[in-house]
């Protein structure tokens, strides 16, 4: 397939001021779909995100026998009434939640299920998933690669019990087990053995969604989760707006000296993107509640930051873009695990910022960004939606900047480029 031409991203000489209602959360949508597929009856999901990642999840669950009926912004999810023993194939695309969550579901079935994805997906860390399945007694054929493609040979039953994993490279390894633990014969006693555990808000989101569906889960000890065996209740839910995707619009307001209203910001949420409440003041901006909305506004200048982003690593590309446009240096730490995301995000950010004349360098666990005058070029995205977001933020202050393959944003935000262009050029 021919790659799309680089996109001339909007540039602004005036402050951006507007309001945005972002689509539903990808992280929440895909967790809800998994739990609905494991539930004890049909569940209705309202305002789910309809993006590449969620469509891949829906297709994967359908492959495993789940029925998903779509009626506009309402999806009705009905768990399988029986399992097939016919071989099947799941396309993971570049979706970490699909490649790490769905193999555990496949282990509960009777069919051999092969998982594969995009070219970049074949270099994402999967050895922990494969080793975990084998420790649970599930046969996995990966040709010794420790990555996609691999085939899970389900037996229809997983005993469960005590499982030890090192999830230092991704919290998704923990969430994957928690989501299905109640369906294991003995439940799950999960223990993280690594020295660090990134993206805790995503694990807290998983735990909260399990408890909403009647699953007993003990979290009294650090790095240990005990999931009691039992049913997972069907539950009708409405999906929150994706606060991580809100970040690119917040950044657009701050780098141009403007303001933005993000509509329907949830008052209580486990989303990593809720950290924008604290990140914006760190850059010298302000945050104000107005009814159900949050108003973000730029301060007198965009100052550099010193932030530990360990729990909210997915926000790093947009924050790094802001740092490249700030008035003083920034240090972003706690995100060594980003080297194993859709691309090596630390290396990619350093390469692209420096290509434009910037001064960024990798740290052992993050980035150091020293502001420099930037010039036009093509900002490469490496098929990573968060890199595309970083590129369009920089383009607001750098004329004639092209962003390569901005279409990759369909991973979590359908029609992003059109929405961004409409808002930023009016």
């Amino acid at each position: 397939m021919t790659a799309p031409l680089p996109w001339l991203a909007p540039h602004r000489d005036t402050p951006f001021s507007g309001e945005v209602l972002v689509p539903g959360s990808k992280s929440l949508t895909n967790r809800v779909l998994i739990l609905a597929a494991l539930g004890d009856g049909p569940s209705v999901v309202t305002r789910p995100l309809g993006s590449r990642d969620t469509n891949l999840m829906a297709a994967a669950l359908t492959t495993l026998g789940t029925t998903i009926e779509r009626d506009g912004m309402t999806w009705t999810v009905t768990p399988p009434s029986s399992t097939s023993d016919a071989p099947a194939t799941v396309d993971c695309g570049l979706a970490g939640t699909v490649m790490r969550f769905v193999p555990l579901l496949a282990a509960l079935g009777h069919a051999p299920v092969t998982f594969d994805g995009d070219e970049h997906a074949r270099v994402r860390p999967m050895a922990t998933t494969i080793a975990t399945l084998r420790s649970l007694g599930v046969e996995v054929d990966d040709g010794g690669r420790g990555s996609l493609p691999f085939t899970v040979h389900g037996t229809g039953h997983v005993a469960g019990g005590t499982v030890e994993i090192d999830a230092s490279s991704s919290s998704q390894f923990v969430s994957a087990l928690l989501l299905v633990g109640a369906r294991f014969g003995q439940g799950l006693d999960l223990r993280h053995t690594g020295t660090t555990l990134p993206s805790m808000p995503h694990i807290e989101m998983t735990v909260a969604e399990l408890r909403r569906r009647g699953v007993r889960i003990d979290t009294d000890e650090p790095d240990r989760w005990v999931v009691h065996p039992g049913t997972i209740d069907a539950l009708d839910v409405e999906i929150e707006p994706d606060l991580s995707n809100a970040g690119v619009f917040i950044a657009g307001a701050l780098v141009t000296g403007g303001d933005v209203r993000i509509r329907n910001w949830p008052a209580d949420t486990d989303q990593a993107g809720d950290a924008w409440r604290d990140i914006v003041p760190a850059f010298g901006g302000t945050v104000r509640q107005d009814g159900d909305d949050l108003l973000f506004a730029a301060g007198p200048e965009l100052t550099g930051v010193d932030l530990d982003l360990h729990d909210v690593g997915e926000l790093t590309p947009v924050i790094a873009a802001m740092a490249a446009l700030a008035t003083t240096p920034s240090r972003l730490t706690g995100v060594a695990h980003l080297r194993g995301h859709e691309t090596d995000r630390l290396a990619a950010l350093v390469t692209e910022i420096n290509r434009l004349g910037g001064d960024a360098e990798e740290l052992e666990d993050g980035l150091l960004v020293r502001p420099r005058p930037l010039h036009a070029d093509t900002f490469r995205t490496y098929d990573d939606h968060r890199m595309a977001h970083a590129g369009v933020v920089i383009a607001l202050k750098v004329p004639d900047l092209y962003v390569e393959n901005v279409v990759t944003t369909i991973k979590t935000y359908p029609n992003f480029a059109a929405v961004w262009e409409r808002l930023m050029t009016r």
Side-chain angles (χ1 to χ4, degrees):
M1 184 172 64
T2 303
L5 293 173
W7 182 59
L8 180 59
H11 168 70
R12 284 189 74 96
D13 292 319
T14 59
F16 163 67
S17 181
E19 67 174 60
V20 178
L21 175 62
V22 294
S25 163
K26 181 266 293 185
S27 297
L28 189 55
T29 297
N30 275 356
R31 282 163 174 78
V32 164
L33 288 176
I34 288 276
L35 291 171
L38 292 169
D40 61 358
S43 297
V44 177
V45 184
T46 304
R47 293 188 59 83
L49 174 66
S51 70
R52 188 184 185 214
D53 272 21
T54 58
N55 287 332
L56 286 166
M57 178 63 80
L61 296 176
T62 300
T63 296
L64 299 185
T66 298
T67 300
I68 301 179
E69 299 173 281
R70 306 190 189 197
D71 183 8
M73 296 303 294
T74 300
W75 296 4
T76 301
V77 184
T78 304
S81 56
S82 61
T83 58
S84 169
D85 58 4
T89 299
V90 167
D91 177 11
C92 301
L94 201 52
T97 50
V98 178
M99 66 183 73
R100 291 171 180 152
F101 292 0
V102 181
L104 273 297
L105 270 74
L108 297 172
H110 293 90
V113 181
T114 298
F115 293 84
D116 202 357
D118 295 356
E119 180 181 354
H120 284 300
R122 294 187 173 189
V123 299
R124 296 194 70 175
M126 290 300 299
T128 300
T129 294
I130 293 166
T132 298
L133 286 163
R134 287 172 176 159
S135 74
L136 291 166
V138 180
E139 180 186 350
V140 182
D141 177 13
D142 70 330
R145 291 179 298 273
S147 63
L148 295 172
F150 59 82
T151 300
V152 176
H153 298 270
T155 61
H157 174 78
V158 176
T162 300
V163 175
E164 294 186 349
I165 64 170
D166 181 351
S168 300
S169 62
S170 176
S171 67
Q172 289 177 349
F173 296 125
V174 172
S175 288
L177 282 159
L178 296 182
L179 288 167
V180 300
R183 293 288 300 273
F184 294 166
Q186 302 169 24
L188 175 70
D189 184 349
L190 177 59
R191 306 175 191 206
H192 167 59
T193 61
T195 58
T196 182
L197 184 57
S199 306
M200 274 301 296
H202 287 101
I203 295 175
E204 291 164 357
M205 175 189 293
T206 301
V207 170
E209 291 303 314
L210 285 163
R211 286 175 171 158
R212 290 180 70 191
R213 290 161 178 79
V215 176
R216 289 180 58 207
I217 177 168
D218 303 330
T219 57
D220 300 331
E221 297 181 31
D223 295 337
R224 183 183 180 189
W225 303 263
V226 178
V227 183
H228 297 260
T231 58
I232 298 174
D233 296 342
L235 182 68
D236 297 343
V237 297
E238 182 171 344
I239 302 297
E240 299 172 355
D242 192 315
L243 305 186
S244 294
N245 276 336
V248 66
F249 298 99
I250 296 169
L254 264 67
V255 303
T256 61
D259 58 83
V260 67
R261 174 188 295 268
I262 305 296
R263 293 174 51 197
N264 297 345
W265 194 285
D268 183 21
T269 180
D270 295 305
Q271 289 191 59
D274 198 44
W276 282 109
R277 294 176 183 264
D278 300 317
I279 293 168
V280 166
F283 273 107
T286 61
V287 184
R288 180 168 66 86
Q289 187 90 37
D290 184 20
D292 293 333
D293 305 338
L294 279 190
L295 304 180
F296 298 87
E301 63 178 11
L302 187 71
T303 56
V305 294
D306 188 343
L307 296 174
D308 182 346
L309 301 176
H310 180 263
D311 286 339
V312 295
E314 67 193 55
L315 310 183
T316 302
V318 167
I319 293 172
M322 296 172 68
L325 300 171
T327 57
T328 55
S330 295
R331 179 181 291 267
L332 312 177
T333 58
V335 289
H337 59 282
L338 295 189
R339 294 186 172 97
H341 276 222
E342 282 84 339
T343 188
D344 179 340
R345 285 179 173 167
L346 299 186
L349 286 164
V350 167
T351 299
E352 297 312 306
I353 290 172
N354 290 350
R355 179 204 306 284
L356 306 181
D359 183 2
E361 66 176 275
E362 283 193 56
L363 306 174
E364 181 180 355
D365 69 339
L367 298 171
L368 180 60
V369 183
R370 304 176 188 89
R372 296 285 187 274
L374 304 181
H375 58 72
D377 203 316
T378 298
F379 190 96
R380 294 181 300 187
T381 62
Y382 307 86
D383 297 327
D384 185 334
H385 61 138
R386 301 296 182 201
M387 287 296 296
H389 285 173
V392 301
V393 169
I394 292 175
L396 289 173
K397 301 300 293 179
V398 179
D400 301 320
L401 182 64
Y402 286 81
V403 176
E404 175 197 74
N405 192 19
V406 73
V407 179
T408 193
T409 53
I410 65 172
K411 176 182 174 70
T412 58
Y413 198 138
N415 300 319
F416 167 76
V419 171
W420 183 259
E421 188 165 45
R422 174 174 57 81
L423 288 173
M424 296 300 166
T425 57
R426 68 183 184 186

